[in-house]
């Protein structure tokens, strides 16, 4: 089980490669009550000027959240904050990679700050963000 | 003695950055074997903090921290090096529709240098604007390596340099701690101050350098339709 004292700046989260299918994106959007064409239909998304169907921002946030909580594991730590910036649409039918690095360790608060991002096959960073994890 | 500087970075003073300056410097120290820069230039969006003093952090980490700005013009985004009080009185850095030609000419007259950044990027880069408007006069250098570039953007920037004979620089455009110094500029001469940097950018010898890690290829995805049919 991971302990706070063992966490070091530069520790990595991932990389986790995920093939994101259109069915997964449609299912997520509908389950979350976001059943709008840009998340479910290529032609309708293109009519809005998008390159095709895109994943909802919340879905990207959720995947990055899972990257961090997978890293937390059973340590008893908690994901206290996750903030993201959306740079380019995340498109289904592509393999995306989730990455993270520990960038700061704050012993006084037993807090760890982490950079996280999603990139596509061309190493373009589609979504970037930072997370804070608090240890017991 | 050569100097390597990341000429384009954003600390949390920029509204879209999440990176504290101290964490940037700490990261560079830890990754110096991969990204051997001597310092960084903070180019905060649409602002210049004349009063900021980073000497304590420079001493703590043994790295240089210089100040510049990234402003927005009718030809895209431009880095301004050697910012003075005269410049910030002459131009409202918060104005997102500054005249690029006026900026370039006036900044040069006041002793600084304006360098268009990520010129290959849609909407905010020089290339797209050159497709619709006459080229700018008196451009000395442009940023051809940008750590945040998408596929093809740096190549478009290189083509611009070849076509117009501009000089070329590199910068990370980092908004996250771990992305600092992925691209930079190597100067033949020693650079120890913002005045020295402006002088070298105008007259010295330099080249962009790329410290981005080479990534293993990610297999092409199989579209839904194919995977459903093929099992």
């Amino acid at each position: 089980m991971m302990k706070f004292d063992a966490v070091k700046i530069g520790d990595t989260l991932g990389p986790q490669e995920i093939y994101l299918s259109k069915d997964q994106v449609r299912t997520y959007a509908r389950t979350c009550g976001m059943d709008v064409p840009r998340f479910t239909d290529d032609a309708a998304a293109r009519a809005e000027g998008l390159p095709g169907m895109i994943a909802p921002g919340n879905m990207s946030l959720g995947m990055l959240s899972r990257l961090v909580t997978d890293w937390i594991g059973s340590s008893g730590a908690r994901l206290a904050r996750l903030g993201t910036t959306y740079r380019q649409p995340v498109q289904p039918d592509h393999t995306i990679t989730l990455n993270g690095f520990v960038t700061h360790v704050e012993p006084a608060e037993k807090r760890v700050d982490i950079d996280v991002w999603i990139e596509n096959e061309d190493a373009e960073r589609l979504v970037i963000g930072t997370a804070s994890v608090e240890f017991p | 003695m050569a100097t390597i500087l990341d000429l384009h970075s954003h600390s949390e003073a920029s509204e879209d950055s999440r990176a504290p300056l101290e964490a940037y410097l700490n990261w560079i120290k830890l990754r110096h074997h991969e990204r051997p820069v001597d310092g960084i230039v903070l180019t905060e969006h649409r602002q210049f903090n004349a009063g900021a003093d980073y000497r304590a952090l420079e001493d703590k980490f043994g790295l240089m921290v210089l100040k510049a700005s990234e402003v927005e013009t009718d030809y895209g985004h431009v880095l301004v090096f050697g910012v003075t009080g005269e410049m910030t009185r002459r131009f409202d850095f918060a104005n997102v529709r500054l005249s690029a030609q006026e900026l370039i000419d006036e900044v040069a007259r006041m002793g600084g240098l304006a360098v268009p950044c990520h010129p290959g990027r849609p909407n905010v880069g020089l290339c797209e604007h050159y497709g619709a408007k006459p080229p700018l006069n008196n451009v000395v250098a442009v940023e051809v390596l940008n750590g945040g570039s998408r596929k093809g953007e740096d190549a478009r920037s290189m083509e611009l340099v070849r076509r117009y004979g501009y000089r070329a620089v590199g910068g990370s455009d980092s908004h996250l701690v771990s992305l600092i110094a992925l691209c930079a500029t190597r100067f033949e001469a020693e650079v120890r101050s913002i005045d020295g940097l402006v002088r070298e950018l105008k007259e010295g010898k330099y080249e962009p350098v790329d410290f981005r890690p080479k990534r293993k290829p990610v297999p092409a995805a199989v579209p839904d339709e194919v995977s459903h049919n093929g099992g």
Side-chain angles (χ1 to χ4, degrees):
Chain A
M1 188 173 72
M2 182 172 57
K3 303 257 195 217
F4 175 77
D5 294 341
V7 178
K8 299 185 300 298
I9 294 173
D11 285 355
T12 58
L13 285 71
Q16 285 184 8
E17 283 181 14
I18 299 173
Y19 170 68
L20 195 61
S21 74
K22 287 181 179 173
D23 281 347
Q24 285 174 311
V25 171
R26 287 188 190 106
T27 301
Y28 180 93
R30 286 169 180 151
T31 303
C32 294
M34 305 169 81
D35 191 0
V36 292
R38 72 178 64 171
F39 303 135
T40 56
D41 181 71
D42 272 328
R46 287 193 194 101
E48 288 188 44
L50 294 163
M53 266 178 63
I54 62 170
N58 281 356
M59 189 173 188
S60 299
L61 190 71
M63 289 186 286
L64 288 172
S65 169
R66 179 163 171 190
L67 175 74
V68 178
T69 54
D70 282 355
W71 178 77
I72 287 171
S74 59
S75 65
R78 73 179 188 100
L79 173 57
R81 187 192 61 80
L82 175 62
T84 47
T85 302
Y86 299 89
R87 301 223 147 181
Q88 292 187 69
V90 175
Q91 294 178 258
D93 272 356
H94 287 270
T95 299
I96 56 172
T97 307
L98 314 183
N99 296 276
F101 279 116
V102 172
T103 60
H104 183 70
V105 176
E106 186 56 60
E109 299 171 23
K110 285 197 157 186
R111 191 191 79 236
V112 171
D113 294 332
I114 300 167
D115 282 355
V116 290
W117 69 89
I118 297 174
E119 61 187 30
N120 63 14
E121 298 97 328
D122 294 319
E124 297 172 326
R125 287 180 287 275
L126 311 176
V127 181
I128 65 172
T130 54
S132 293
V133 171
E134 293 174 351
F135 281 74
Chain B
M1 191 181 84
T3 305
I4 303 177
L5 295 173
D6 179 348
L7 295 186
H8 188 173
S9 66
H10 299 274
S11 78
E12 55 195 350
S14 291
E15 79 285 352
D16 59 345
S17 172
R18 301 167 185 275
L21 173 59
E22 183 163 2
Y24 268 152
L25 301 180
N26 198 29
W27 192 263
I28 291 171
K29 290 299 282 185
L30 288 168
R31 297 293 175 114
H32 204 254
H33 57 290
E34 297 171 355
R35 309 175 197 180
V37 299
D38 299 294
I40 66 173
V41 185
L42 290 173
T43 50
E44 310 295 5
H45 289 295
R46 302 179 301 281
Q47 60 181 296
F48 182 75
N49 187 351
D53 184 348
Y54 303 120
R55 275 176 293 188
L57 286 173
E58 288 181 305
D59 291 344
K60 179 177 177 182
F61 291 98
L63 293 163
M64 205 177 344
V65 180
L66 302 177
K67 295 184 293 184
S69 186
E70 180 177 358
V71 298
E72 299 179 24
T73 76
D74 55 353
Y75 276 74
H77 293 190
V78 176
L79 303 175
V80 181
F81 298 100
V83 178
T84 63
E86 187 183 9
M87 280 178 213
T88 54
R89 285 190 294 277
R90 170 69 178 78
F91 294 101
D92 174 9
F93 278 21
N95 176 5
V96 297
R97 299 293 297 167
L98 290 170
S99 160
Q101 192 61 68
E102 276 184 44
L103 184 81
I104 287 166
D105 292 340
E106 285 289 279
V107 164
R109 184 183 66 76
M110 296 173 192
L113 188 70
V115 175
C117 52
H118 41 68
R121 189 162 300 169
N123 301 320
V124 295
L126 214 51
C127 295
E128 191 166 299
H129 291 279
Y130 275 17
K133 292 178 279 193
L136 295 166
N137 297 317
N138 307 319
V139 174
V140 173
V142 299
E143 181 189 64
V144 300
L145 290 184
N146 178 290
S149 282
R150 298 163 207 160
K151 190 178 183 182
E153 289 182 4
D154 288 349
R156 279 197 291 279
S157 301
M158 285 302 296
E159 179 54 34
L160 186 79
V161 162
R162 277 192 287 272
R163 181 167 180 190
Y164 291 95
Y166 299 149
R167 308 182 76 181
V169 302
S172 69
D173 198 2
S174 178
H175 290 69
L176 287 184
V177 171
S178 56
L179 304 179
I180 191 70
L182 285 175
C183 298
T185 306
R186 179 188 290 118
F187 295 87
E188 265 192 20
E190 184 172 22
V191 175
R192 298 301 307 166
S193 66
I194 194 69
D195 291 341
L197 173 61
V198 170
R199 186 172 59 248
E200 288 305 313
L201 284 170
K202 287 180 176 176
E203 300 165 8
K205 291 185 177 173
Y206 53 88
E207 62 180 356
V209 285
D210 194 346
F211 300 124
R212 286 173 286 195
K214 301 295 173 264
R215 230 184 89 158
K216 77 176 174 64
V218 175
V222 180
D224 267 1
E225 291 73 16
V226 176
S227 62
H228 288 166
N229 293 337

